[in-house]
Amino acid sequence: MTKISLELGSGGRLMREFIAGKIVPAFADPLLRDLGDAALLPGGIAFTTDSYVVDPLFFPGGDIGRLAVNGTVNDLVVSGAEPRYLSLAFILEEGLEAEVLDRVIRSIRAAARAAGVRIVTGDTKVVRRGQGDKVFINTAGVGRSIARPRPDRIRRGDKIILTGTLGDHSLAVTMARGEFGLKSSVRSDCAPLLFLLPLWKRGALWMRDVTRGGLATVLSELAERLPCPVLIEEDKVPLSRPVRAAAELLGIDPLYMACEGKAVVVAPAAKAGELLRRMRAHPLGRRAAVIGEVQAGVGRPGELLLRTTVGGLRLLEPLTSELLPRIC
């Protein structure tokens, strides 16, 4: 690699290889090696950070401010931590209308209140016109650890649960840009996943929010860590009607489309029914579904397989190129 490409920020395989090969070795800290959504620090503290460059700033169902809060909150939740405190850093472009920034700040305030987190520190930088794109945001989050994800305890027969439909965020942002000449009523699913926190005490073994790279990338990375393959069923993966239609029309695989309010959860078979009922009892989990399981019957260790609607098997791999840039 001689120059930075968009793929290095895609959330897929190239980004992971870049981080694992270039960033992590430079610091050689054991806390970095897990490459989780948050670092689990001594004293029961979870710490995470993320940056947001979505274009446009406002889209159906959300905006960059709401995205920044919920994205950081969700990284803590799926790491087994109760979110408490956030930092907020703006990089603003010279010439940005003050009214636009006011809207973003109001949205951040509302999202933080809804998620029960406090904004306790921050920073502001302004770059010359043309050296940025209106607003970029970085947030860091601190939470109290209540559980530790345990992929080492995942066994054959454990169930894969998805908390709702895939791809709504990707499609909402794409349509808001006016790309492809299409129109859609779909709204982003941007939301805090706090309703998943109690599931850690009910038997959940592992969680990951389904953001860049989509479900296929998230589960591929999990499968690589397991001694058994993972199999998901295409006809059990929930999709909204607009996403299904747009995916077919544009030739985009919804398994690689990003969400900002969905997660995949692994649970022991004996606990999966109870966890599914609890998810469906919450408005954000109404369309939760068991979509597959850790398998012994087909495939090889480390593989993620999809059983298609016609009964065939397809090997799924992590995303290798930038599907839709600047969606978060």
Side-chain angles (χ1 to χ4, degrees):
M1 180 187 71
T2 57
K3 293 186 178 180
I4 300 300
S5 65
L6 275 177
E7 285 75 14
L8 299 186
S10 67
R13 171 171 282 168
L14 292 179
M15 175 177 163
R16 197 167 183 86
E17 290 175 353
F18 168 71
I19 293 171
K22 200 171 190 68
I23 306 298
V24 174
F27 303 101
D29 193 307
L31 290 172
L32 267 177
R33 291 177 190 154
D34 187 52
L35 296 181
D37 282 318
L40 304 180
L41 308 178
I45 301 297
F47 179 45
T48 188
T49 186
D50 210 338
S51 300
Y52 299 86
V53 298
V54 65
D55 175 40
L57 299 179
F58 305 95
F59 46 85
D63 57 75
I64 191 171
R66 186 175 176 184
L67 199 59
V69 172
N70 290 336
T72 300
V73 163
N74 291 345
D75 282 345
L76 290 169
V77 169
V78 299
S79 301
E82 180 182 16
R84 293 289 187 86
Y85 304 104
L86 264 60
S87 71
L88 172 65
F90 287 113
I91 298 176
L92 308 175
E93 184 184 25
E94 178 189 25
L96 175 74
E97 296 85 354
E99 188 274 335
V100 172
L101 182 58
D102 289 343
R103 285 181 63 189
V104 173
I105 292 173
R106 287 196 297 270
S107 180
I108 291 171
R109 182 173 59 196
R113 285 178 177 171
V117 294
R118 296 167 59 187
I119 308 291
V120 294
T121 188
D123 183 47
T124 300
K125 296 289 189 298
V126 179
V127 298
R128 292 183 185 277
R129 192 187 303 267
Q131 294 182 347
D133 191 1
K134 299 181 282 293
V135 179
F136 295 152
I137 296 177
N138 174 272
T139 48
V142 174
R144 181 178 64 87
S145 181
I146 61 172
R148 181 177 287 267
R150 297 303 302 265
D152 57 312
R153 291 187 179 178
I154 295 175
R155 301 287 183 267
R156 293 173 179 170
D158 289 348
K159 302 300 181 184
I160 312 295
I161 307 173
L162 181 62
T163 63
T165 57
L166 292 179
D168 300 88
H169 176 73
S170 283
L171 184 60
V173 173
T174 302
M175 294 298 106
R177 290 177 189 164
E179 294 180 357
F180 307 116
L182 300 177
K183 293 184 178 179
S184 170
S185 60
V186 71
R187 296 171 61 84
S188 168
D189 59 358
C190 181
L193 292 169
L194 297 165
F195 74 104
L196 297 180
L197 274 176
L199 304 188
W200 285 112
K201 299 294 187 184
R202 298 282 179 177
L205 298 170
W206 182 89
M207 299 184 191
R208 182 65 61 85
D209 49 341
V210 183
T211 55
R212 289 172 304 163
L215 179 69
T217 299
V218 167
L219 286 180
S220 290
E221 291 174 357
L222 173 64
E224 290 171 0
R225 303 174 64 176
L226 302 181
C228 308
V230 173
L231 175 70
I232 58 175
E233 308 276 350
E234 187 174 24
D235 60 358
K236 294 181 180 177
V237 176
L239 296 176
S240 66
R241 185 175 300 177
V243 168
R244 187 183 299 278
E248 291 177 356
L249 186 64
L250 300 174
I252 298 174
D253 190 339
L255 296 176
Y256 292 92
M257 294 175 71
C259 310
E260 287 294 342
K262 302 295 178 353
V264 61
V265 178
V266 180
K271 301 277 188 179
E274 179 193 352
L275 266 58
L276 184 63
R277 285 193 296 275
R278 290 179 178 275
M279 288 181 199
R280 288 177 172 173
H282 192 278
L284 294 177
R286 280 197 298 264
R287 294 196 63 181
V290 174
I291 62 168
E293 67 176 27
V294 180
Q295 258 282 328
V298 296
R300 293 178 295 185
E303 289 183 340
L304 171 65
L305 298 167
L306 176 75
R307 192 186 305 280
T308 67
T309 54
V310 295
L313 287 176
R314 173 186 160 200
L315 179 65
L316 296 175
E317 296 187 328
L319 185 71
T320 54
S321 61
E322 183 67 291
L323 190 65
L324 297 167
R326 295 193 61 184
I327 58 170
C328 60

